[in-house]
Amino acid sequence: MAGGAIVSGTTDVSRVEAPVTFKAYMICAFAAFGGIFFGYDTGWMSGVLAMPYYISLYTGIPYDYDNAAPIGVDKEAFVLPASTQSLFTSILSCGTFFGALIGGDIADFIGRRPTIIAGCFVFSVGCILQISSTNQEVLFVFGRLIAGGGVGFISAVVILYMSEIAPKKVRGAMVSGYQFCITIGILLANCVVYGTQSRSDSGSYRIPIGIQFLWAIVLGAGLFYLPESPRYFVKKGKIEDAAKALSFVRGQPLDSDFIKDELAEIVANNEYELQHIPQASYIGSWTACFKGSLSHGNSSIRRTLLGAFMQCFQQFTGINFIFYYQLGTVPNPFLISLVTTLVNVLSTPISFYTIEKFGRRALLLTGASGMIVSQFIVGAIGVTQGREEVHNNAAVQAMIAFICINIAFFATTWGPTAWVVVGEVFPLPIRSRGVGISTASNWFWNTIIAVITPYLVNVNEANLGPKVFFLWGSLCCLSLTFAYFFVPELKGLSLEQADMCMQEVSPRHSAGWKPSHTYAAEMHHVDDSAAILGDTVEEKV
């Protein structure tokens, strides 16, 4: 160990982490603020695309604000072309895809905390470019791309940072706070857009964009006062720095047995994993994510695919379709958007309790089942009594109700749980890049969905309308199957114990697994008497 520092190893599986403190809650809660970036940008773009001023800016069609009607064309024709909607919506996700990959890489070189701060700076540059554009499509798109890179940095590394510092007993609830902040971001965006939509000047879209600077300032400045992840220091061999950081986040004295025991377990687990995942070069650190056998639950490639497909199937639930676009059968899309977003916000905190009470797998299976039923009902009503020409308000209200039920199922299950699982399944040697790849997968499929959705629902394109919910319901069936066969139950385990669980049992039998020993014992960081008596002994690592 660097500097010959002394740490403790224990054979007691119940002593590998300190008790939960209020400080740990506060640190994780602040880090979760990064979700605001993700959610706010998802929310404001869909609203801006429907603003009269913005449509006039890019189409040249004048608008009569006194009579709330376009001049010279029908209301149905007063929309941005599908190609423009698709480009403006998806280009940010394209930026976040590469940002997540780069951010996951950089986080292993300069640390988790500086990478998030850098993401705030990059995001701010992108916002400046978007605000500066008037009707320059290239400048706006470039700004969206740059801002996306910053959001990619933040979305990947915040999950990594939170997973590495959160106490195991509440890690699921703490990381779920990230999804809660995403929903708050969407709600705030909808409120701002609702307040500026009728403006007849550039403030209609510049105000929603400009408010984002506040999120960057708060998160970037606040992180200067938070510690680096102790697991990052262990990865770099800076054990004394790791001990100080761990002491800060656990709220324990530096010489506490809890700090010594947890630090020894992290060090021993890292040593164990490096025996199986050697990293001799920069390229080797990336290829390590794809080594091993697909048939082994603890192999690197199996974990990487688990994380990537976890985010893929979260997007396949179709949730962003509801927030990006509105169906033609729904009256007053701005107001309905506020309602659905409010449901999203109010439902998500339920997961803080259920994810630790019932576990990850139970939430994923229940949520997928509920969304399948809800989406098929919306589709069935939409192609019968919910059609525009029928003018059945009760049917439309029923569709809105089941859309809200679908959102509630997502918000309490797949929304937060996908992020929790991604933060838990990777061993330390590949964790940063593994989380980066998984987050990039989320943004990749987010991009694909954003690109194709206008073509699926627009009147002058495929014009699927409510029939698109049959597509999302069918994809939810795939999400259900994936969760049942491939997602392990890691509730209440430390990140090191999660490694052990994935080595010893299959996902379907993981719920009943209990740790039988510590990595400190397995790597011979305790002497024989300690192994017999379960005592804590000091040893030089």
Side-chain angles (χ1 to χ4, degrees):
M1 183 157 68
I6 303 297
V7 295
S8 299
T10 180
T11 60
D12 186 350
V13 296
S14 66
R15 287 185 56 84
V16 295
E17 189 174 275
V20 182
T21 62
F22 182 74
K23 178 186 284 188
Y25 279 113
M26 290 298 97
I27 294 174
C28 289
F30 183 81
F33 186 80
I36 294 284
F37 287 81
F38 188 154
Y40 189 88
D41 205 272
T42 300
W44 76 257
M45 192 68 238
S46 59
V48 165
L49 291 176
M51 287 181 176
Y53 182 86
Y54 197 77
I55 295 173
S56 294
L57 193 65
Y58 283 92
T59 63
I61 301 173
Y63 189 81
D64 184 349
Y65 290 90
D66 292 330
N67 297 314
I71 300 173
V73 298
D74 295 331
K75 283 189 176 182
E76 291 74 16
F78 188 66
V79 293
L80 290 173
S83 59
T84 303
Q85 292 186 48
S86 177
L87 177 62
F88 285 0
T89 304
S90 62
I91 195 64
L92 178 122
S93 298
C94 179
T96 51
F97 171 81
F98 292 104
L101 291 176
I102 296 170
D105 196 25
I106 294 176
D108 262 355
F109 287 100
I110 66 174
R112 285 50 164 151
R113 190 173 60 103
T115 304
I116 300 173
I117 295 173
C120 293
F121 175 77
V122 173
F123 177 79
S124 298
V125 172
C127 287
I128 292 172
L129 294 176
Q130 292 175 79
I131 291 175
S132 300
S133 70
T134 51
N135 60 347
Q136 300 101 332
E137 189 170 313
V138 173
L139 183 60
F140 187 81
V141 168
F142 190 61
R144 291 280 288 168
L145 185 66
I146 297 299
V151 175
F153 273 41
I154 295 164
S155 60
V157 185
V158 163
I159 291 297
L160 176 66
Y161 181 71
M162 291 180 67
S163 297
E164 290 190 337
I165 66 173
K168 65 178 183 177
K169 292 181 180 179
V170 293
R171 185 177 60 247
M174 291 290 95
V175 178
S176 295
Y178 176 78
Q179 176 67 21
F180 182 53
C181 285
I182 291 176
T183 67
I184 292 177
I186 296 173
L187 177 62
L188 290 174
N190 277 276
C191 291
V192 173
V193 167
Y194 193 71
T196 66
Q197 60 175 309
S198 300
R199 290 177 66 105
S200 59
D201 55 30
S202 62
S204 59
Y205 72 92
R206 282 176 169 161
I207 291 173
I209 297 173
I211 285 177
Q212 295 177 108
F213 283 113
L214 179 62
W215 319 143
I217 292 171
V218 171
L219 182 62
L223 280 170
F224 277 103
Y225 300 97
L226 296 185
E228 180 55 79
S229 164
R231 287 177 168 87
Y232 165 74
F233 284 130
V234 168
K235 182 177 174 66
K236 290 297 185 181
K238 301 177 180 180
I239 308 304
E240 292 178 354
D241 290 336
K244 293 176 183 177
L246 193 62
S247 172
F248 185 92
V249 299
R250 295 291 181 257
Q252 297 283 338
L254 190 60
D255 59 354
S256 164
D257 285 341
F258 284 115
I259 300 302
K260 295 177 182 178
D261 291 345
E262 182 173 0
L263 184 59
E265 186 70 2
I266 296 171
V267 171
N269 171 254
N270 188 49
E271 292 176 357
Y272 174 86
E273 293 295 351
L274 285 174
Q275 292 178 354
H276 298 81
I277 313 175
Q279 300 179 59
S281 65
Y282 172 75
I283 299 299
S285 66
W286 275 104
T287 58
C289 296
F290 302 96
K291 290 185 176 180
S293 171
L294 286 173
S295 61
H296 296 160
N298 66 321
S299 67
S300 295
I301 188 170
R302 179 76 172 263
R303 297 185 195 217
T304 300
L305 291 178
L306 170 60
F309 278 106
M310 190 77 237
Q311 293 295 327
C312 167
F313 284 113
Q314 186 206 54
Q315 290 300 304
F316 277 6
T317 62
I319 191 65
N320 280 328
F321 165 80
I322 296 171
F323 296 118
Y324 276 141
Y325 302 99
Q326 295 292 340
L327 295 175
T329 54
V330 176
N332 195 344
F334 282 104
L335 181 58
I336 298 302
S337 181
L338 281 176
V339 171
T340 55
T341 303
L342 193 60
V343 172
N344 196 22
V345 173
L346 296 178
S347 300
T348 302
I350 297 173
S351 67
F352 298 174
Y353 171 77
T354 57
I355 199 166
E356 299 298 355
K357 176 66 175 179
F358 303 108
R360 285 64 163 153
R361 282 176 58 85
L363 263 63
L364 293 173
L365 297 176
T366 301
S369 301
M371 285 186 285
I372 291 169
V373 173
S374 300
Q375 301 212 37
F376 279 131
I377 290 176
V378 173
I381 296 174
V383 299
T384 53
Q385 293 299 307
R387 290 174 295 152
E388 285 188 82
E389 58 270 25
V390 177
H391 303 296
N392 187 332
N393 289 332
V396 173
Q397 291 171 2
M399 290 174 64
I400 295 172
F402 277 100
I403 286 174
C404 290
I405 291 172
N406 178 78
I407 292 172
F409 271 113
F410 175 86
T412 54
T413 59
W414 276 83
T417 308
W419 295 110
V420 173
V421 171
V422 162
E424 293 176 332
V425 297
F426 293 101
L428 184 56
I430 65 168
R431 182 173 296 140
S432 180
R433 291 177 176 85
V435 173
I437 291 170
S438 302
T439 307
S441 173
N442 179 290
W443 288 110
F444 173 80
W445 291 106
N446 194 314
T447 304
I448 297 300
I449 291 170
V451 168
I452 66 173
T453 299
Y455 298 99
L456 291 176
V457 300
N458 281 11
V459 175
N460 58 344
E461 302 292 344
N463 194 24
L464 290 180
K467 291 192 288 290
V468 75
F469 281 94
F470 291 121
L471 170 64
W472 301 129
S474 299
L475 291 175
C476 279
C477 294
L478 296 180
S479 300
L480 176 66
T481 304
F482 173 80
Y484 179 77
F485 286 104
F486 297 107
V487 179
E489 181 54 70
L490 304 175
K491 178 187 72 171
L493 303 178
S494 69
L495 295 180
E496 290 68 41
Q497 290 170 341
D499 277 354
M500 197 178 295
C501 173
M502 296 180 71
Q503 293 171 28
E504 295 183 1
V505 296
S506 68
R508 285 183 293 167
H509 300 98
S510 57
W513 183 86
K514 301 293 182 186
S516 59
H517 62 283
T518 64
Y519 274 106
E522 184 168 344
M523 297 302 293
H524 307 293
H525 288 331
V526 295
D527 62 20
D528 292 338
S529 62
I532 294 172
L533 300 175
D535 296 330
T536 300
V537 298
E538 291 188 339
E539 75 102 54
K540 187 173 292 187
V541 180

